[in-house]
Amino acid sequence: MKTIKWHLGAHGLFIDSKDQVDIRVLHDHLEQIVGNIADVVMNEIYASLSERNVISVGSIDSSESIVSKIEQLLKGEGREVEGSK
Amino acid sequence: MTKTVPHPELAIKKARTKLIIGFIAVTLAINSIILFAGDIQSQNYLGNILRPIVAAVATGLALTVVYRQKVSGIFGRSYACLAGGLVLYFIAEILWGYYSIGLGVEVPFPSLADAFWLAAYAPFGYGLFSLARLHSKFGRMKALAVMSLSVAAFSSYYILQLISVSDLTTPDAATALSISIAYPILDGILLIPALMVILSSGKGYLTSVPWIFVSWMFTAVADSIFGFTAVTSIAGDISVWNLFYNAAYLSMAAGLFWHNRYMIFDAKRATVPHVS
């Protein structure tokens, strides 16, 4: 993972920074760096996000791409944060 | 004046080309020693010396990966298993060499070395299937089904041919035939992840050449030739299988070298500045 982070940094994408990271850009860069392993990493991210968004996961179409699924979960999270303000 | 350092992607692509050229050159050089050795006895004698040497190189690189990467996570466990398989292969090669060079006798088939070669399928199987899950799109069920059927058809055809040409008059012929059949079945099972990865490779500059899976293709070819010659009692009369085993060990070594150099995080290299 450290190697992948370092290469992402070389592409100008710093995932540990406080700035928002576009999930599609992250996927594209990951694919350039590690090919098919990109999907494994994205699935890990989705699994991790799903754990804290159990309600939103139920409304996501399972046939959608992993990137779309993550985007929907993140949008759902954003709405929850706004709603709680 | 500031010195510009190429982007890591460019440097890695150059390194990949160099490794491919290096692999071809070393394989040709080592196999040429065998091919130009003169008569078949000399070829097999040199083959029995060179195979353990290239196996030792691959095993050494595998153990280095395990030492640096440790054994946790999918990569850690997979590479530890590959290292375990290579250690067993190396022991088998040493035993084979001891029979033929140390004792100066024709290596019996089956021999103690076969026990180590067969035992290696368990760790190799775990390692290859685990890595294949990462590197290939196993979700493509149609491709997986076609691949499995093709491998099963080829293995069945090969086993039938093996049975039909077997010399069953020799002592231990039944055991020899059983072991000869076990190799293509086990090779066939491990060919499936290898083919899946090779067919879906090409993306990702860090992982683009699936060396370890290419190595398994060479192993399967070598085992097929060797199995055929062993049951027909002509294994000592040809030496072509040596060339494929050497290529298998060297492509495994290339993959392990690549993993050591580029996939395991190295803080010293990471500090090198780059220009995007």
Side-chain angles (χ1 to χ4, degrees):
Chain A
M1 194 62 200
K2 276 184 185 173
T3 309
I4 295 173
K5 273 187 192 173
W6 185 73
H7 280 276
L8 283 172
H11 283 253
L13 197 71
F14 300 95
I15 53 172
D16 286 336
S17 75
K18 286 178 182 173
D19 300 329
Q20 278 198 340
V21 174
D22 185 329
I23 207 75
R24 285 191 187 271
V25 174
L26 172 65
H27 182 257
D28 288 348
H29 283 309
L30 271 178
E31 211 165 38
Q32 271 182 51
I33 297 165
V34 288
N36 294 327
I37 297 177
D39 284 348
V40 179
V41 176
M42 299 312 273
N43 276 312
E44 291 283 318
I45 293 171
Y46 180 68
S48 170
L49 287 172
S50 304
E51 279 175 21
R52 57 180 207 223
N53 292 287
V54 184
I55 301 165
S56 316
V57 170
S59 61
I60 295 174
D61 183 356
S62 61
S63 64
E64 286 191 61
S65 74
I66 190 71
V67 177
S68 302
K69 284 182 189 174
I70 294 171
E71 277 179 337
Q72 287 184 44
L73 272 185
L74 289 174
K75 270 184 198 164
E77 258 191 10
R79 274 197 297 272
E80 271 176 33
V81 171
E82 276 176 21
S84 65
K85 277 181 185 172
Chain B
M1 207 173 102
T2 54
K3 190 184 172 190
T4 54
V5 177
H7 190 280
E9 182 173 344
L10 195 65
I12 289 176
K13 281 181 176 170
K14 277 186 185 169
R16 187 178 63 202
T17 310
K18 279 184 190 169
L19 187 60
I20 293 170
I21 294 169
F23 163 73
I24 294 170
V26 172
T27 307
L28 285 176
I30 288 178
N31 283 341
S32 298
I33 296 171
I34 297 172
L35 278 174
F36 298 116
D39 60 21
I40 202 76
Q41 278 76 24
S42 308
Q43 287 182 5
N44 277 330
Y45 181 80
L46 281 170
N48 291 336
I49 293 172
L50 289 169
R51 266 194 345 272
I53 293 172
V54 285
V57 171
T59 309
L61 283 165
L63 293 174
T64 310
V65 166
V66 174
Y67 173 74
R68 290 186 64 213
Q69 185 177 253
K70 313 302 174 207
V71 292
S72 59
I74 299 176
F75 272 122
R77 287 193 299 273
S78 305
Y79 279 87
C81 282
L82 289 181
L86 277 169
V87 167
L88 291 169
Y89 264 34
F90 177 60
I91 295 169
E93 292 290 0
I94 293 288
L95 284 171
W96 184 277
Y98 176 70
Y99 274 118
S100 60
I101 299 168
L103 298 179
V105 295
E106 192 177 325
V107 185
F109 182 73
S111 69
L112 184 59
D114 288 291
F116 285 93
W117 270 310
L118 287 170
Y121 280 93
F124 272 136
Y126 181 86
L128 288 172
F129 272 101
S130 304
L131 285 178
R133 271 178 55 212
L134 286 177
H135 288 280
S136 71
K137 292 194 181 273
F138 257 86
R140 297 189 307 188
M141 293 310 287
K142 265 188 194 171
L144 187 62
V146 169
M147 214 80 78
S148 307
L149 284 172
S150 309
V151 168
F154 175 75
S155 299
S156 309
Y157 174 76
Y158 177 77
I159 289 165
L160 285 174
Q161 291 297 314
L162 212 56
I163 294 167
S164 67
V165 297
S166 289
D167 178 4
L168 293 168
T169 57
T170 56
D172 292 333
T175 318
L177 182 60
S178 314
I179 290 174
S180 298
I181 290 171
Y183 281 117
I185 291 172
L186 294 166
D187 283 343
I189 292 169
L190 296 193
L191 265 181
I192 297 166
L195 283 168
M196 286 293 289
V197 172
I198 289 167
L199 291 178
S200 63
S201 66
K203 277 194 285 181
Y205 62 80
L206 263 185
T207 57
S208 61
V209 180
W211 291 104
I212 286 162
F213 298 92
V214 170
S215 166
W216 199 258
M217 303 286 288
F218 282 125
T219 304
V221 173
D223 280 347
S224 303
I225 299 171
F226 183 75
F228 208 77
T229 57
V231 293
T232 48
S233 305
I234 58 159
D237 300 332
I238 64 161
S239 71
V240 69
W241 43 272
N242 279 304
L243 313 182
F244 286 98
Y245 281 125
N246 285 336
Y249 286 128
L250 288 169
S251 42
M252 184 69 86
L256 292 163
F257 170 81
W258 185 265
H259 192 81
N260 244 317
R261 183 78 178 83
Y262 294 105
M263 295 296 280
I264 301 175
F265 187 71
D266 182 345
K268 282 180 199 160
R269 279 197 307 115
T271 56
V272 173
H274 57 266
V275 176
S276 294

